[in-house]
Amino acid sequence: MDERERINRLRWRCTRRAMLEMDLLLGEFLERVFPTLGPEQADAFVVLADMEDLELWPLINGSRDCADPVQAEVLALLRTVRVK
Amino acid sequence: MSNSSIPVRKFDAVIVGAGGSGLRAAIQLSEGGLKTAVLSKVFPTRSHTVAAQGGVSASLGNSEEDHWHWHMYDTVKGSDWLGDQDAIEYMCRKAPEVVVELEHFGMPFDRTDEGKIYQRPFGGHMSNFGEKPVRRACAAADRTGHAMLHALYQRNVRANTQFFVEWMALDLIRDESGQVLGVIALEMETGEVVAFHAKATIFATGGAGRIYYSSTNAFINTGDGLGMAARAGIALEDMEFWQFHPTGVAGAGVLITEGVRGEGGILRNSDNERFMERYAPNAKDLASRDVVSRAMVTEINEGRGCGPNKDFVLLDITHLDPATIMKRLPGIREISIQFAGIDPIQAPIPVVPTCHYQMGGIPTNFKGQVVSADGVPVKGFYAAGEVACASVHGANRLGTNSLLDLLVFGKSSGDSVIEDLASGAIVHKDLPAAYAERTLARLHRLNTQTGGSNVNETRLELQRTMQKHCGVFRFKDMLVEGVAKIVEIEKAVARTEIKDKSQVWNTARVEALELDNLIEVAKATLVSAEARKESRGAHVRDDAPDTPENPNGRDDANWHKHTLWEREGSSLSYKPVTMTPLTVETIALKTRSY
C-alpha cells in the first residue's frame, strides 16, 4: 500500500465514525497535526484511530488513563486540537 | 466498460447498512438459514446507532404499571397524527418482545434491585393516555446504542452473517417489472465495482442529517439509501419532517445538552438581551425544544444574531460560579473549548438549532416491505430504521422510539423476507441486460469530468442552503427561493470533478458519490416542505400560525396526508394516513398539546 492509499484509508477511518465529535476531532488532527508526527507517534495514532469512539473518548477527555507512553503523547496532542 | 466486466456475487439476501436495523434484520435472515451479505461503509460497531444514548422504550411495566396501548397513544400524539396507526400499534405491541430478545442476545441493560430491566421516564411517554409521565425507557447507562450494536453484532458473528466492510452501495438493481434484484457496490480497498445479486434487498442505511450545515449527525449519514431509492424510481415519503435540537455548537453541530439551561444557562442575542423572556415569559430558556428553536431563528432572521455573519445566538453560563461549571458541566466545558474554541467560564457559547433526526424516508408497511403509492409491496425490496418511513414517527419522533424502530422493523423486515421467499412471492430472477449501465456511466462521468465543480464547496453550498431556507422555522418566500437554489446546486452536483482518479482507496470519489445522494434528499426535503402549507410537528411555517380554526397551524382538512416525492420531474403526490390500527380503535385527531 502506497502512502496516498495509507493516508486515504486513515482519513476514511478518522472521518466516518460513529460520533460527530470524533469525526471532527480526528479529521482536524489528521490534517493539521498528523503530518508533524514522528513514525512512532504516527503508528500510535493509527492504533488510537482504530479504537471505537466510546473507548477513545474517555482517553481524550482524560477520564481514563492511557498506559502506553507514546499513545499518551498523541492523546495530549489530540486534546489541544480546536475544531474550526 | 460493459456489464460483463462486473463481477457478480450471489446471495439470498443483501442488507445495506450495519447499524441497529441492519444487524437486527441480518440476525433473522442468517438464523433463518439464508445466505446473507451485509454491506457497510464502516465496521458495524462504528455505525451512528452508537450516538443514541437515551434508551429504548417498551411497556414492560417493571417500575410501574404500563401498557402498549398507552405507548401507542403517546406515539400517535407525538407524531401529530401523521403516523400510521397500524404501524404504530405493531411497534408498540412488539416492543416488550424485542427488548427481552435483545436482553437474551446479551445486552447489558441497567437493572432494578430485583434484577429486572430498569426503566426511566422520558419526554412524551405517559401513562393512561397522556395522564402523567411513565417509566418506559430501558437503557444501558448512557451507552445504550453502543451496547445494542455490540450485542447484535456478536449474535451475527455466531450466525455466520457475511460482512463486507468499507463497501459503498451505489445503486439498486431493478428489472422491467420493478422487482429489486440486489445492488451494485464499490469496494473502497480495491475500487472494484461488484453486483450483489440477491432475491431480497434490505436497506438499513440510516438517515441523511448531513444535508444540513448544522447537524448532530456523524459524517457517515449521507442518505445513501434514499439517494439509491430515488434514482431507482422509488418515491420518498414525508421528507419535509426533520427533528431539530435547539442548541448545537454553531458550525460544528455538536450537541449541548438541555441540562446547561437547566443549570441556569441563558440564551442571548447580539444586543445581549435574554430574548426568551419575550417568547416564553414563564418557562423562558427552559421552554420546549420547538419554542426555543423558533425563537432563536426569529432573532437571527430579524438581524439580532451574533458573530460576523449574525448567524448564531449565544448560550451564556458566565454568570455561574466556575466551581459549579467544573462540577456539574465538565463535559460541556470541554466540548465548548474543543468545538467552539471558547471556555464557557469566560465567554458564552455560540449555538444554533441543529438537525438531529429524519422522520421521513422510503415508504414501507409495518412488515418492513417497501411499498408503492398504492400500498402494493415492491417485490424484493425492504427497508428499516431511519432510512424507512413505516410511518411510526409521522411529523415528530418521541425520544427512545428510534432505537425501538430499529429493533422492531429490523426484525419484521427480516421475517418478511423469509415469508416472501417461502411463499414464492419473490423468486430468483436473472439480472436484466445492461443493469449496471447507469452506475458505470455515473462513475465514468466522475472520472472524466474536467472544468467541473468542487465536491466540498458544492456540499457546503447545499448544506448552507438547507439550513437557511428549510431549517427549523420555515418561511414561504425562503422556501420558494430555496427550491430554485437547490435546482441550481443540483446542476453543480452533476458536474463534480475529482483530481484523484486512482482506483484504490479513492476517498474523493466516495465523497462525490455521497454528494449524489445528499442532493436527492435535499431536493426531496425542500420541494416537499415548500408544498405543505400547514404547520405540523417538526414542520413549522411562519404563514401557518396558531389560529382557533387551525390550532398550532395544523390544517387537517387539507393536509392530513403523507407526502410522496418522486425524483422524475421532482413531482409530488399524496396518500392518506392510515388511521385504522390493527386491533384497537382509531385514536381520533385532536390538538396536540402537552
Side-chain angles (χ1 to χ4, degrees):
Chain A
M1 187 176 277
D2 69 22
E3 186 60 11
R4 182 201 64 84
E5 292 165 13
R6 198 173 71 91
I7 291 292
N8 275 1
R9 186 176 70 171
L10 187 57
R11 178 172 294 120
W12 186 253
R13 290 176 186 181
C14 286
T15 60
R16 292 298 184 283
R17 305 185 65 91
M19 290 163 59
L20 173 66
E21 287 87 337
M22 305 304 271
D23 284 337
L24 292 166
L25 265 187
L26 297 194
E28 192 78 8
F29 186 90
L30 188 68
E31 296 304 321
R32 291 169 192 272
V33 187
F34 185 79
T36 69
L37 299 182
E40 264 191 61
Q41 286 182 325
D43 289 345
F45 177 70
V46 172
V47 173
L48 291 169
D50 269 344
M51 289 182 181
E52 288 187 21
D53 287 359
L54 293 188
E55 280 179 84
L56 182 55
W57 184 238
L59 293 174
I60 294 175
N61 72 23
S63 61
R64 232 184 73 201
D65 290 332
C66 176
D68 183 290
V70 185
Q71 283 180 21
E73 285 170 26
V74 177
L75 287 166
L77 291 169
L78 259 167
R79 270 177 225 124
T80 66
V81 169
R82 302 286 175 266
V83 174
K84 298 289 173 223
Chain B
M1 200 188 293
S2 72
N3 285 347
S4 58
S5 63
I6 299 179
V8 178
R9 298 194 190 202
K10 271 190 161 183
F11 290 88
D12 291 321
V14 58
I15 299 173
V16 184
S21 54
L23 291 178
R24 186 63 193 82
I27 291 172
Q28 289 312 99
L29 300 183
S30 295
E31 291 188 349
L34 299 186
K35 188 183 173 197
T36 305
V38 179
L39 273 57
S40 176
K41 292 200 287 187
V42 296
F43 192 79
T45 52
R46 287 184 170 214
S47 306
H48 191 53
T49 305
V50 166
Q53 299 175 348
V56 50
S57 48
S59 58
L60 297 169
N62 285 354
S63 301
E64 59 189 315
E65 189 186 0
D66 199 3
H67 197 284
W68 64 261
H69 202 183
W70 301 346
H71 186 183
M72 176 185 171
Y73 176 85
D74 297 338
T75 305
V76 170
K77 180 179 170 183
S79 80
D80 217 350
W81 274 266
L82 195 70
D84 287 330
Q85 296 197 13
D86 55 345
I88 295 175
E89 178 183 336
Y90 183 82
M91 180 178 81
C92 297
R93 288 185 78 149
K94 281 276 180 189
E97 175 190 315
V98 295
V99 165
V100 170
E101 260 171 5
L102 189 64
E103 184 186 27
H104 294 162
F105 293 165
M107 171 86 171
F109 282 116
D110 295 343
R111 303 275 160 191
T112 64
D113 291 342
E114 305 90 62
K116 292 179 181 173
I117 294 174
Y118 171 80
Q119 297 188 277
R120 60 186 177 205
F122 218 94
H125 291 276
M126 316 283 274
S127 68
N128 206 18
F129 305 102
E131 207 175 87
K132 61 178 180 16
V134 69
R135 282 175 266 178
R136 187 178 287 150
C138 313
D142 60 355
R143 316 158 63 97
T144 309
H146 169 91
M148 182 185 281
L149 274 184
H150 275 262
L152 294 173
Y153 179 66
Q154 289 306 327
R155 187 83 182 185
N156 270 292
V157 169
R158 199 181 90 153
N160 287 323
T161 301
Q162 198 173 340
F163 287 97
F164 292 81
V165 174
E166 293 172 339
W167 282 71
M168 182 179 180
L170 303 179
D171 278 304
L172 266 183
I173 304 170
R174 288 184 93 181
D175 70 6
E176 276 179 2
S177 74
Q179 183 167 340
V180 170
L181 303 173
V183 292
I184 297 162
L186 170 79
E187 184 181 28
M188 295 181 205
E189 193 179 351
T190 60
E192 190 173 40
V193 177
V194 174
F196 285 75
H197 184 192
K199 296 171 194 166
T201 302
I202 302 181
F203 271 12
T205 52
R210 296 312 305 178
I211 62 167
Y212 284 96
Y213 181 68
S214 188
S215 173
T216 67
N217 282 206
F219 289 179
I220 199 170
N221 289 7
T222 53
D224 300 338
L226 299 164
M228 285 188 277
R231 283 193 296 276
I234 306 279
L236 303 182
E237 181 173 340
D238 292 341
M239 289 305 298
E240 61 271 45
F241 296 100
W242 291 83
Q243 196 167 60
F244 281 70
H245 192 288
T247 54
V249 172
V254 175
L255 262 192
I256 302 286
T257 160
E258 259 120 356
V260 172
R261 280 170 287 141
E263 288 294 336
I266 290 170
L267 290 162
R268 297 189 188 279
N269 61 20
S270 56
D271 300 333
N272 205 32
E273 182 203 7
R274 183 181 190 180
F275 59 84
M276 281 311 300
E277 286 181 332
R278 277 190 278 119
Y279 296 90
N282 294 321
K284 295 177 186 160
D285 303 273
L286 288 172
S288 66
R289 282 182 182 182
D290 55 336
V291 172
V292 175
S293 294
R294 257 175 276 152
M296 291 165 70
V297 172
T298 305
E299 290 301 300
I300 292 167
N301 285 345
E302 292 181 356
R304 292 185 295 278
C306 305
N309 298 321
K310 296 181 135 335
D311 55 0
F312 56 80
V313 297
L314 296 169
L315 177 56
D316 188 3
I317 55 170
T318 56
H319 53 288
L320 300 183
D321 178 2
T324 306
I325 296 173
M326 300 294 275
K327 187 177 165 202
R328 295 200 195 275
L329 305 166
I332 290 306
R333 180 172 176 244
E334 226 157 81
I335 280 175
S336 179
I337 289 172
Q338 286 206 294
F339 299 103
I342 279 166
D343 183 345
I345 290 175
Q346 288 158 4
I349 312 167
V351 290
V352 283
T354 297
C355 166
H356 190 51
Y357 187 87
Q358 158 199 315
M359 268 77 72
I362 298 173
T364 70
N365 57 25
F366 65 87
K367 296 175 175 176
Q369 296 168 310
V370 175
V371 290
S372 55
D374 51 8
V376 175
V378 176
K379 278 189 175 180
F381 195 26
Y382 309 78
E386 195 169 338
V387 70
C389 182
S391 146
V392 285
H393 310 303
N396 177 61
R397 176 183 65 88
L398 286 192
T400 71
N401 268 355
S402 52
L403 288 183
L404 179 60
D405 171 347
L406 305 178
L407 293 174
V408 170
F409 297 109
K411 183 179 180 185
S412 77
S413 61
D415 284 339
S416 294
V417 168
I418 291 170
E419 279 169 31
D420 290 347
L421 285 173
S423 71
I426 42 175
V427 291
H428 202 64
K429 289 171 86 173
D430 290 337
L431 291 172
Y435 66 90
E437 246 171 39
R438 278 184 163 188
T439 311
L440 295 176
R442 199 150 62 91
L443 290 169
H444 180 71
R445 198 280 306 160
L446 190 56
N447 268 346
T448 53
Q449 181 76 50
T450 53
S453 48
N454 176 284
V455 173
N456 281 336
E457 286 168 10
T458 308
R459 188 200 307 109
L460 211 54
E461 185 64 21
L462 179 155
Q463 291 167 330
R464 288 205 164 114
T465 298
M466 293 306 295
Q467 193 78 23
K468 185 174 173 191
H469 291 270
C470 200
V472 68
F473 193 20
R474 296 167 178 181
F475 302 82
K476 185 183 170 193
D477 294 347
M478 294 290 276
L479 287 164
V480 171
E481 222 176 89
V483 170
K485 276 192 180 177
I486 212 77
V487 169
E488 285 306 306
I489 293 168
E490 187 182 27
K491 292 175 189 164
V493 173
R495 298 182 61 254
T496 46
E497 180 182 352
I498 51 172
K499 305 293 178 200
D500 184 354
K501 314 285 186 187
S502 52
Q503 280 293 99
V504 175
W505 273 111
N506 187 337
T507 45
R509 175 181 295 143
V510 174
E511 285 174 1
L513 294 166
E514 287 180 331
L515 183 58
D516 285 353
N517 296 324
L518 285 169
I519 188 65
E520 302 299 343
V521 182
K523 201 171 164 192
T525 299
L526 249 168
V527 171
S528 303
E530 192 276 323
R532 185 176 282 272
K533 307 287 192 299
E534 66 157 354
S535 296
R536 182 186 298 269
H539 174 68
V540 183
R541 290 179 66 120
D542 177 57
D543 57 351
D546 185 22
T547 62
E549 301 78 48
N550 293 326
N552 300 330
R554 200 177 86 191
D555 177 5
D556 289 326
N558 293 302
W559 289 102
H560 185 234
K561 55 190 178 184
H562 294 296
T563 305
L564 291 171
W565 174 85
E566 278 195 62
R567 181 175 187 262
E568 181 72 35
S570 193
S571 61
L572 294 172
S573 58
Y574 295 89
K575 68 174 183 179
V577 176
T578 303
M579 292 292 281
T580 311
L582 299 170
T583 66
V584 291
E585 282 186 14
T586 295
I587 296 170
L589 283 161
K590 70 177 189 185
T591 303
R592 179 167 162 258
S593 64
Y594 289 98

